[in-house]
Amino acid sequence: RRQALGLTVKGLAATSGLSARYIISAEQGQANLSLDKMGALCRALDLNIAQLVSGEARGEIDALLVGRDPSELAEVAAWLRKKFGVSHRPLIALLGVRGAGKTAVGQHLAKRRRVPFVELDSRIEIISDLSLNELFAVHGEPYYRRMEFNALNDLINEGKSAIVATGGGIVTNEANFRRLKEAAITIWLHARPEDHWDRVIQQGDRRPMRDHPQALAELKTLLDTRAPLYGQADHIVDTSQRDIITVVKEIERFLVEVGYVG
């Protein structure tokens, strides 16, 4: 494409903002092509990114999606979920930071659907024979993530339907989150930072306020940082100032829409 446009390597480098060395590596198939850099190359070469990364039927699909507005893309995503694979994922996984309502919503949803409710952290404590506090104190987060993957994999291999409350940070581990999405309908219980805060306090846990005057600000930062990851969920439910029954019914409506049978 560069040659067809009569561009030199230096010319493309100047237009794209990338180094000439990087462009040479890309043309030789040796560069680490991040999304940002591919975007820069496509803009400089007057290409749609779908033309660069897709071919055959997949390329045709990607080309058809170019320029669609968010509502149209959401409609396509819903159709794909209904058509392919959603009904074959036995688990329904609830995502969110502490105070999202994963336990309360999960228990009620499990009761209505007559399936078990599982807290993944409880499984981790069982297989590690340590409380979460002990696990982090003795082994640290990398070990916790390994135990999280093992606990999740064991649950998936059981092949049974269940409602799962996940740990708030599972979305930050690429391998664990990918494994979860392979086997579960993922639902983000979204709420304002103030709602998360109030729920934790109402549960009688005042630790967030103890010796942490900036705790609420830190919670807001955490939510902002994780929002793009939680946003990859199959469905998002706003739980702010809504009761458990209303939230559960919205989840059930979504499950019907996508043809989920469990």
Side-chain angles (χ1 to χ4, degrees), residues 131-162:
S131 70
L132 290 184
N133 287 338
E134 291 171 334
L135 189 154
F136 274 97
V138 175
H139 298 290
E141 183 173 355
Y143 181 80
Y144 168 81
R145 294 301 170 198
R146 291 198 297 274
M147 292 300 100
E148 182 178 58
F149 185 87
N150 291 342
L152 176 60
N153 220 37
D154 288 346
L155 180 61
I156 292 170
N157 289 337
E158 290 174 10
K160 299 177 182 177
S161 297

Side-chain angles (χ1 to χ4, degrees), residues 190-192 195 198-199 238-244 246-247:
H190 175 270
R192 300 177 308 157
D195 291 305
D198 290 343
R199 289 166 187 167
D238 186 356
T239 66
S240 294
Q241 299 180 348
R242 302 175 77 189
D243 60 60
I244 293 172
T246 302
V247 171

Side-chain angles (χ1 to χ4, degrees), residues 13-24:
T15 306
S16 66
L18 302 172
S19 70
R21 181 176 180 181
Y22 181 85
I23 289 170
I24 292 171

Side-chain angles (χ1 to χ4, degrees), residues 188-221:
W188 176 22
L189 300 184
H190 175 270
R192 300 177 308 157
E194 292 79 7
D195 291 305
H196 286 280
W197 179 273
D198 290 343
R199 289 166 187 167
V200 172
I201 299 302
Q202 289 168 9
Q203 292 166 7
D205 188 349
R206 302 191 66 82
R207 287 176 297 170
M209 300 189 332
R210 191 177 303 153
D211 300 323
H212 292 286
Q214 301 299 319
L216 182 56
E218 291 174 3
L219 174 59
K220 291 178 179 178
T221 300

